[in-house]
Structures are given as structure tokens and as C-alpha cells.
Amino acid sequence: MAGASPPPPGGRRRLRDDGLRTATSAEQTKVEDIVQEVFDACKTNHHASQFVLQREKHFHYLKRGLRQLTEAYECLDASRPWLCYWILHSLELLDEPIPQSVASDVCQFLSRCQSPQGGFGGGPGQHPHLAPTYAAINALCIIGTEEAFGVIDRKKLLEYLHLLKQPDGSFLMHVGGEVDVRSAYCAASVASLTNVLTPALFAGTAEWIARCQNWEGGIGGVPGMEAHGGYTFCGVAALVILKKEHLLNLRSLLHWVTGRQMRFEGGFQGRCNKLVDGCYSFWQAGLLPLLHRALHARGDTALSMARWMFDQSALQEYILLCCQCPAGGLLDKPGKSRDFYHTCYCLSGLAIAQHFGSGDLHHEVVLGVPENRLQATHPVYNIAPEKVVRAVMHFLQQPVPSLEPATAAD
């Protein structure tokens, strides 16, 4: 349904602080004032160009970043596979092909980030870590060539995952590092894409994740912590991979995540009582397809077969009006700087908001001009659905690597 109408102004509700002003309510009011200015300017101009995804500008911003970065990115030296993933995924959402020479260069670079111990580090010669391992394998699956798949040392990867596995079912992010729900998701994601997922590797993991769901309904980083959008996505997506979503209180989770869409801005916040942030357009909105699927599997008859359980048009309006940098790239909220992280997750959230379902049951809601339409993204892996299929089919042709008994038992 291209050319969908923006949400009616009457549907927006500003913060009511009941006359009790706090630092939090003051910050929220400030953001609403800035967003109000953007919405008012759009109404004043009465021009359809307001709802236009600046494809060409975003493409050039991303293309430059893949080849050369400024000194400002020095602080992300330990996140270089992430930069590859954020940029490559943004390009695939924009339906921009990656030149073969560039794809090959990325493969060679990521191969230098792979550790002899297994997994990938944040850059060549750096210690392996589950976060860049996830990013590197996603980037290689987006490229999807024999060269890309050939980079991944699956036996060493499986050994590394066993090294990080804890007796309670959780995973360390790196040797000697912290435990949280991110590591369980990163491990489940890379293991399932590369066909190294075994019952022994994930024994107890689903139950540990379920213990991270708290009284709010969302999932915290570890049991007992505050619910958070990023951790909640990681927990739910990992349980989808492990086919154990039923361990969660899905109704409570649905109540929590739908309450994170901001009533005035239209975007999502990451936690209760926090500000809107463009990146949660994916981390929170991306939960709704996963919940829809889980509730449908339980036979919930109240589910729509045409829309997700959030305001898809309001989210698209927030991203298109408030999160685009005029020079290309996307951002957290008006007044913030663009970066590749927010570009990736704003575009990913926009894709989730535009596409419902898949195959025969596929409905589109595209706000603004038809050219705003992005390619769909897989809500579990956040890469193109056909790239997930290609990777899974490729690695299913190879047996699960066998480990030495001592390694598997560790």
C-alpha cells in the first residue's frame, strides 16, 4: 500500500507531568518541542517531499564509509566488523548492489579479523569477541559468495562458542568478559547461520534467557535487571532460533514493548521513562514480528493478518521527518549527529514498518512516495531474508564439525 497517509495529528499526545517537573520530564518536553517544530514545518510546507527517503544521499554516505573513515571513527577501532555490517546491511535495504571488488576486499579484511582461537575480533590481531563475531558473520552472509562463506572457520567457531559457554546456560561475551543476553543471541545467531548449532552447545540457554524476563514484561541484560529494548530483542530472537519462545510470558512482553512506542514522536524508547531514539525503530519494532509469529503459533485469533501490533505509519513518519541528516545518513533524534549505527537501525526499523508478513501473506504500508520502499529484512537476523536462506542452505550441505571430547565438555 504505497502512499499511505501520515497518522492524524489528533492521535498525538504530549507528556502530562501532573504539575511535577523532574529532570526526566524536562528532557522529554524538550525533545517533544524539537519534534513539534519538525512536524509544524512539515505542515506549513504542505509538500509531499517531506516524506521522502533521501536514498541518493544515504547511498553516497554509506559508499564513502566503506572505503574511508575520518579520524572521528578512531574510537570504533575495536568495532570494525560492525562498521562493515552496518554499512552493507544499509546498502542491501536500499537495494544498492555491492561491487564485486568491494565485496572481495571486505572478505579479505574480515578474514584478518578472524582469530586463530575461533570467532572474530574487532580488528586484525584483536582478541575474539562475540559481538564482532556476530557482525562479521552477518556481513559475510550479506555478501553471500563462496569467498565470503569460505572465510568462516566453522570448527574453530564452534570451539570458541564452547569456550564461552557457562554452566548456567549463559555465554561470556569474550574470554574473561561479562555475561548478558547479547552473548546468547550472538552465539545462537552465528551458530544457526553456519550450521554449528547443537543441543549440547545451547543446553540451558533458553531457560537462562527466560529468567531475564522481569516484572515489567521485557528482558534485562541478566536476571533481575531492568527491561531494555536491545536486551529484549536479543533474548526473544535467541529463543526464536532455539524454538523456545513459549518459555516467556508473551502477553506481558507484548504489553511492555507496545508501551515503548512514544505517543507524540511516533518512534520508540529503549526503556520506560527514557527518550525516543531512532535505533529502537529496529530493536523494539523488530520484536513485533517475532511476537506476532509466536502468538499465531499459539492459535491467538485476535491477531491481524495485515498489520503488526504497533503504529507502522507513525514510526515511518518519525524516521523520515526526524532521523534523516540532510547530507546523508540517519540519526537518533533531531539535533544529534549521523552515524552508521543509527543509519543501519533506522533503515532496518523503516523496513519492518513497511513490510508485514512474507510470501503469500505479505502486506506493505509505505508512507510517502513509492520510492521510499525498502527491501525487507529478516526480523531475527536483520539481514535480507534471501541471504539468510542462502547461508543456511550453503552450510547445511556441510556436516556439523566434530570436536575433541575435552573441548565439547568444557
Side-chain angles (χ1 to χ4, degrees), residues 16 18 52 62 82 107 109 115 124 172 175 187 196 202 210 242 278 284 286 288 309 336 346 348:
R16 293 175 58 187
D18 298 322
V52 171
L62 293 161
W82 279 109
C107 291
F109 169 72
S115 168
L172 298 172
V175 174
V196 301
F202 289 96
L242 299 174
Q284 298 284 33
L288 275 306
M309 290 178 282
K336 298 289 187 177
C346 284
S348 300

Side-chain angles (χ1 to χ4, degrees), residues 111-121 126-128 156:
S111 71
R112 296 199 299 276
C113 296
Q114 190 165 213
S115 168
Q117 189 181 1
F120 293 76
Q126 295 184 26
H127 291 301
K156 287 291 185 184

Side-chain angles (χ1 to χ4, degrees), residues 310-355:
F310 71 96
D311 191 331
Q312 294 167 241
S313 292
L315 178 59
Q316 292 182 57
E317 184 173 21
Y318 176 72
I319 295 169
L320 293 171
L321 292 183
C322 299
C323 296
Q324 294 195 89
C325 175
L330 289 98
L331 38 93
D332 164 353
K333 60 177 69 68
K336 298 289 187 177
S337 300
R338 65 182 178 176
D339 58 59
F340 294 111
Y341 168 82
H342 282 92
T343 300
C344 172
Y345 291 109
C346 284
L347 290 176
S348 300
L350 186 59
I352 292 286
Q354 290 178 348
H355 296 272

